[in-house]
Amino acid sequence: MATQMRTGPAARDPEFRGIDPPALDQVIRQLQDAQNAIQGWLNGHRPPPGVSAAGYRRADEVARWAAEQLGMLTRRYNFAVTHPSPGGGVDMPPAPTPAPPPRKTGGGPAGTPRPVQAPPHRPSPAKAAPRPTPHGAGDIGNFPDRPAAARAARADALAVSASVQHGRPVPDTVWRHLKANAGDPDYTEKLYERLGPAAAAGLLEAAQGDKARLAAVQQSLGTSSHHLTMDVKWLRAFLAEADRAGVRPVAVQVLLGADMSGRTREAVAGLDLHPSTATA
């Protein structure tokens, strides 16, 4: 990574700070393995009665520290792979092999998040080598960690679903949150996971043609597609609900204009949508 930094963005800007996604992915996996190994040993070697538990407690603190670092590093990785370097001509690495799920342990941290799938390989004319991206190195959005982003997304999804169900306007606060966090990989993942295709289409209806709101939906859908499985079934359900609500042309525009993941673009292509259908 140091070599890449010297010949990449750092050659132009000595203040550049970036993340090398493959290198960070390796660090996350190594830390995951270490955390699992420590917690596994702790579970199998409880201190016997009458023996000082000071060493055991210190090891437990290390395991908990590792779990906290995994949450922070995974959030940075998610930003890095969802927002490639804006410098252009960057080849993203292939999607990392999913990390094995952490062992659920009694008394220790469990459910440690794993990195999301990286965006598909997009060859550039110059065949540039993978480069660091500034995203995730410093600013990681409006939330300190993944759980905070997920809590905000769940609250907003609940508000959207209630509004759609009862025919009420979506609260302005939700629209502000969506605009502010449309590029947040953790927020958008949980938002559309909770909404599902039907309520996501209802969000288009609730936008009432407002360009800024529709742009926020389009961007956030694109971001979430790198994490959620938006296959043909999901997309058809989304379009069917949009058709029922009378906003199918808008839904088509959003799908064709969003910066989707490679697998979602393939699913959209399978629907044989065309820009002309957006104005029909």
Side-chain angles (χ1 to χ4, degrees):
M1 178 175 177
T3 302
Q4 289 177 337
M5 289 290 286
R6 286 194 297 271
T7 59
R12 300 184 301 272
D13 181 4
E15 297 300 318
F16 178 85
R17 298 294 182 272
I19 284 178
D20 180 351
L24 180 56
D25 178 52
Q26 184 177 2
V27 169
I28 289 173
R29 294 175 190 282
Q30 290 172 340
L31 188 58
Q32 176 97 67
D33 290 343
Q35 191 270 331
N36 285 340
I38 294 171
Q39 195 63 55
W41 186 91
L42 290 172
N43 289 343
H45 298 81
R46 304 292 297 184
V51 176
S52 173
Y56 183 93
R57 286 194 296 270
R58 283 196 294 270
D60 186 58
E61 289 173 359
V62 172
R64 292 178 182 277
W65 174 86
E68 292 173 358
Q69 300 308 302
L70 281 167
M72 177 271 294
L73 292 174
T74 301
R75 181 155 172 78
R76 293 186 182 282
Y77 178 86
N78 288 353
F79 266 89
V81 299
T82 311
H83 301 81
S85 173
V90 176
D91 289 344
M92 290 303 296
T97 304
R103 290 188 291 270
K104 292 186 178 180
T105 57
T112 306
R114 65 178 178 83
V116 300
Q117 184 181 23
H121 175 78
R122 296 182 181 179
S124 67
K127 298 293 183 182
R131 296 178 183 176
T133 174
H135 293 285
D139 179 25
I140 52 174
N142 299 313
F143 307 103
D145 51 35
R146 283 170 55 88
R151 286 193 298 272
R154 285 193 292 266
D156 287 344
L158 183 62
V160 171
S161 297
S163 298
V164 170
Q165 181 179 357
H166 299 291
R168 298 194 300 259
V170 171
D172 288 340
T173 54
V174 173
W175 288 115
R176 288 198 295 270
H177 292 167
L178 187 59
K179 292 176 185 177
N181 302 298
D184 189 310
D186 299 321
Y187 172 87
T188 56
E189 175 189 8
K190 288 302 177 184
L191 179 71
Y192 287 105
E193 180 182 280
R194 285 302 183 101
L195 288 179
L203 197 57
L204 292 179
E205 181 183 13
Q208 297 183 339
D210 184 284
K211 291 184 178 179
R213 292 177 175 180
L214 291 175
V217 175
Q218 179 172 292
Q219 182 186 357
S220 59
L221 270 175
T223 303
S224 68
S225 73
H226 294 280
H227 314 277
L228 295 180
T229 301
M230 292 184 177
D231 53 14
V232 171
K233 180 180 179 181
W234 195 100
L235 295 169
R236 282 178 174 162
F238 174 75
L239 289 169
E241 184 63 23
D243 192 32
R244 186 201 64 76
V247 291
R248 180 184 172 91
V250 175
V252 173
Q253 284 183 324
V254 165
L255 291 181
L256 293 179
D259 184 13
M260 298 289 194
S261 67
R263 63 178 182 237
T264 306
R265 286 198 300 272
E266 291 178 0
V268 171
L271 297 175
D272 198 28
L273 302 176
H274 300 283
S276 60
T277 63
T279 57

